[in-house]
Amino acid sequence: MIAESMYQELILEHYKHPQGRGLREPFDAEVHHVNPTCGDEVTMRVKLADGGKVLDVSYDGQGCSISQAAASVLHELTTGSTVEETLSVVDEFTRLMQGRGQVEPDEDVLGDAVAFAGVAKFPARVKCALLAWMAYKDAVIRSQG
Amino acid sequence: MTQQSFDVERIRKDFPILTRELPGGRPLVYLDSGNSSQKPTQVIEAMREHMASHYANVGRALHVLGSESTEAYEDARSKIAAFVGAPSRDEVIFTKNASEALNLVAYSFGNPNNTDERFRLGPGDEIVISEMEHHSNIVPWQLLAQRTGATLRWFPVTDEGRLDVGGLDELVNERTKIVSIAHQSNVLGTVNSVSPILARVRQVGALMMLDASQSVPHQPVDVAELGVDFVAFTGHKMLGPSGIGVLWGRRELLDAMPPFLGGGEMIEAVWMDHSTFAPVPHKFEAGTPPIVEAVGLGAAVDYLTSIGMEEIKAHEKRLVTYALDVLQEVPGLTVIGPRTAIARGGTVSFTLEGIHPHDVGQILDDVYGIAVRVGHHCARPLHLRFGIPATTRASLYLYNTTAEIDALVRGLHHVQKVFG
Ligand SMILES: Cc1ncc(COP(=O)(O)O)c(C=O)c1O
């Protein structure tokens, strides 16, 4: 069944038990992104430290399991890394999502985010998976002023 | 529960797609006819036959094929006129879809090319629609209001999903030029009562349009009996092909309106500095029309008539009565719209507590082959009104069965297991 390849255990786990959810202080930038076709929403805050480290990524939102789990995985992957590292993860994740299921994911770069590989086969859901990641990229750019 | 005169199993045999298997060997359970309906063999064959044996452009070719094609195209117009009780076949204008029909009428208001007083529109004038409209019956009027400075006003919707006409006399007043509402809601299933609103519209000397995209496919509709000025509907929701829609309008108004699109076949004569226009309906049919699609739509109304619109309506009423009963037993399920089968059609939208409609729809499709629609169904203001971003919608038609509704309920229980 196709659904099983999309709703990986890891995605459902993150959906039911989101990591790092809730908006926190302090933060350098806050962004709000929506997916107008389905009403998925995410508000995201980013706090960077000197030396290019990501101190905290906090978020709140509502929407489908894919969009909410993607935010949770993003929190885990970014917090504590350098901005540069995280942006390369964002790029690889975007490449995977936009690959229509034809792209071989780089597991070393993506870590847990590789669980979303199945979503790429569902064009209608790709935007759900990317929502938080695009918000993160936007927030980082704004934090760096 | 099927009555002798209405044999759903026999009807299903006319729809080849209903027997196809989806990947993974799942049978198809099609509960998305409100979005677009499936097509019977009779429609598919009529279109194939036209292309195989009679096809040529219409109106302008003098050869045998040209006249056969023209005759088939115009014959389709007559069938559709009869199907909706139009007093004259010339009042039936073929458009691309319901959206184009609505835009055509909106375009004729506040238009410098239209000197008829009834279409004059500017600051201080009012357009009235409702909160339950499809975007196709919102955006053309919004654009019109922006162009002209007129004010767009809205009938509210009650918690039960009915049109709230409590403020009718204030809402529709001397400043009102046009009222345009859905005959049947594509989300709530609500069938709106036209006559009280029309009576007020006549009192204040305004015009009235119905978006009948969801009613013409599902119940007998007689435009003359309704008494409104314009009716829009769309072929693909009523067993016909996509690419064709219908505007019906009162002749005298259509005559007064300016052309919408310019091009071939809509003119009488063209000079370098101006043109004169063909009489209706051709004035509004610029360029090569959807010829084969018109033939298909003609076959679709023949098919619907052969089954009987009263019978179809009764079948859908039995189905929706059943669906409302069994769906409301699913824990955490809330129906958005009337919860009884009174003055409503076979469209049921709902939320499942704690589970986003995208997830509901995906599991239903992937595990059970159940096609429903999820999202705001092109009615975002209505969803805002109910404070929800999206719903899951099952919409029924003549070929659906109670067994398919049972499958939906089983599917929803499974969805709750996955996300619970
Ligand atoms: C109530 C209503 N109005 C208008 C439309 C628009 O129809 P179309 O997309 O064929 O123009 C639809 C269908 O999508 C509808 O349900």
Side-chain angles (χ1 to χ4, degrees):
Chain A
M1 273 178 266
I2 303 163
E4 277 169 13
S5 65
M6 176 156 141
Y7 292 111
Q8 294 287 316
E9 212 36 61
L10 187 127
I11 295 180
L12 290 173
E13 233 0 84
H14 273 275
Y15 174 58
K16 292 173 192 172
H17 309 287
Q19 304 299 300
R21 192 183 170 93
L23 296 170
R24 288 178 290 278
E25 312 259 356
F27 60 93
D28 299 321
E30 176 181 300
V31 297
H32 181 72
H33 280 213
V34 299
N35 180 348
T37 53
C38 60
D40 287 350
E41 293 185 30
V42 67
T43 304
M44 186 164 285
R45 291 177 176 178
V46 170
K47 176 66 191 161
L48 304 181
D50 292 340
K53 259 210 169 345
V54 180
L55 272 187
D56 191 21
V57 175
S58 69
Y59 64 94
D60 207 352
Q62 59 157 10
C64 68
S65 59
I66 301 297
S67 71
Q68 301 306 300
S72 173
V73 169
L74 174 103
H75 164 85
E76 281 201 341
L77 289 178
T78 49
T79 311
S81 300
T82 67
V83 169
E84 204 176 322
E85 280 163 358
T86 63
L87 289 181
S88 68
V89 183
V90 174
D91 286 347
E92 177 62 13
F93 189 70
T94 310
R95 192 178 74 90
L96 173 64
M97 284 301 109
Q98 292 174 345
R100 303 201 155 258
Q102 310 293 317
V103 166
E104 222 15 80
D106 185 339
E107 249 190 282
D108 293 340
V109 178
L110 287 174
D112 275 0
V114 80
F116 288 85
V119 178
K121 280 178 257 161
F122 297 86
R125 304 303 295 278
V126 166
K127 279 180 294 184
C128 309
L130 282 176
L131 181 68
W133 294 67
M134 293 299 112
Y136 173 73
K137 202 171 172 178
D138 186 17
V140 165
I141 290 167
R142 289 182 199 215
S143 304
Q144 293 171 328
Chain B
M1 72 163 257
T2 308
Q3 287 174 357
Q4 204 129 51
S5 60
F6 189 94
D7 183 351
V8 71
E9 288 309 325
R10 205 203 63 212
I11 287 170
R12 288 178 70 82
K13 292 201 175 76
D14 290 332
F15 292 79
I17 211 167
L18 296 180
T19 53
R20 79 156 273 193
E21 249 186 27
L22 302 178
R26 290 160 294 159
L28 169 69
V29 177
Y30 191 74
L31 302 179
D32 198 20
S33 296
N35 195 351
S36 204
S37 71
Q38 295 303 341
K39 323 300 174 198
T41 307
Q42 289 83 340
V43 168
I44 299 166
E45 273 308 307
M47 295 175 73
R48 198 199 61 80
E49 165 66 15
H50 190 80
M51 281 189 281
S53 306
H54 308 290
Y55 184 80
N57 210 333
V58 297
R60 50 184 99 162
L62 291 178
H63 42 68
V64 172
L65 294 184
S67 62
E68 285 180 7
S69 202
T70 304
E71 196 175 310
Y73 178 70
E74 292 301 332
D75 195 38
R77 193 190 309 278
S78 303
K79 286 177 182 179
I80 286 139
F83 185 68
V84 297
S88 157
R89 61 183 301 286
D90 294 341
E91 295 175 338
V92 170
I93 292 154
F94 285 132
T95 60
K96 186 169 61 172
N97 47 34
S99 303
E100 187 184 322
L102 288 154
N103 276 277
L104 191 163
V105 174
Y107 182 77
S108 64
F109 282 88
N111 185 324
N113 290 335
N114 192 353
T115 49
D116 190 290
E117 185 54 36
R118 291 166 296 183
F119 293 87
R120 203 183 293 274
L121 193 79
D125 293 326
E126 295 176 0
I127 304 158
V128 179
I129 59 175
S130 92
E131 280 180 350
M132 70 168 75
E133 299 315 313
H134 186 281
H135 295 163
S136 295
N137 196 28
I138 298 175
V139 182
W141 305 112
Q142 258 174 358
L143 294 172
L144 173 63
Q146 283 162 9
R147 276 198 303 274
T148 59
T151 304
L152 184 61
R153 300 190 63 190
W154 306 67
F155 277 106
V157 167
T158 68
D159 291 342
E160 214 223 335
R162 304 276 181 197
L163 211 57
D164 182 351
V165 290
L168 175 64
D169 286 355
E170 193 283 318
L171 190 59
V172 178
N173 58 54
E174 284 67 27
R175 297 183 299 277
T176 309
K177 300 303 288 263
I178 173 91
V179 174
S180 184
I181 60 163
H183 195 198
Q184 178 168 330
S185 160
N186 69 316
V187 176
L188 307 164
T190 308
V191 175
N192 290 316
S193 170
V194 174
S195 51
I197 298 171
L198 182 63
R200 178 64 183 156
V201 167
R202 291 293 177 242
Q203 236 173 31
V204 301
L207 297 173
M208 181 158 182
M209 176 157 200
L210 279 187
D211 175 0
S213 304
Q214 296 286 347
S215 60
V216 167
H218 300 284
Q219 63 176 79
V221 169
D222 185 304
V223 297
E225 206 173 288
L226 281 168
V228 297
D229 300 299
F230 302 103
V231 173
F233 53 100
T234 196
H236 65 93
K237 293 187 203 287
M238 50 190 290
L239 313 185
S242 58
I244 186 158
V246 174
L247 170 67
W248 170 83
R250 286 202 290 119
R251 171 86 199 227
E252 173 248 336
L253 292 168
L254 294 175
D255 283 339
M257 286 155 63
F260 177 47
L261 302 174
E265 292 307 317
M266 53 78 71
I267 48 87
E268 182 185 61
V270 177
W271 289 269
M272 287 179 81
D273 62 344
H274 79 290
S275 301
T276 55
F277 305 112
V280 293
H282 302 289
K283 178 169 80 175
F284 294 109
E285 294 180 359
T288 300
I291 302 164
V292 184
E293 288 77 4
V295 170
L297 185 56
V301 304
D302 282 346
Y303 183 84
L304 289 168
T305 305
S306 75
I307 306 288
M309 290 311 293
E310 281 295 354
E311 280 68 29
I312 291 170
K313 183 182 172 185
H315 174 70
E316 289 181 29
K317 179 155 180 148
R318 289 190 295 271
L319 283 182
V320 77
T321 305
Y322 183 80
L324 287 167
D325 271 357
V326 294
L327 283 172
Q328 289 181 98
E329 278 175 21
V330 176
L333 187 147
T334 307
V335 170
I336 307 297
R339 283 157 204 187
T340 57
I342 299 159
R344 65 140 37 247
T347 292
V348 185
S349 296
F350 56 87
T351 56
L352 264 195
E353 199 181 340
I355 308 176
H356 192 280
H358 269 184
D359 292 323
V360 176
Q362 192 91 51
I363 296 278
L364 289 178
D365 181 34
D366 290 344
V367 184
Y368 295 94
I370 300 174
V372 293
R373 184 163 171 193
V374 296
H376 52 51
H377 322 303
C378 300
R380 198 154 178 277
L382 182 70
H383 283 76
L384 294 175
R385 150 71 182 82
F386 282 96
I388 46 179
T391 51
T392 302
R393 179 184 79 178
S395 52
L396 307 165
Y397 208 0
L398 74 166
Y399 39 62
N400 288 122
T401 64
T402 51
E404 291 178 305
I405 296 165
D406 292 338
L408 171 64
V409 170
R410 275 197 305 278
L412 292 174
H413 283 298
H414 181 73
V415 168
Q416 290 181 318
K417 258 207 344 248
V418 174
F419 294 101

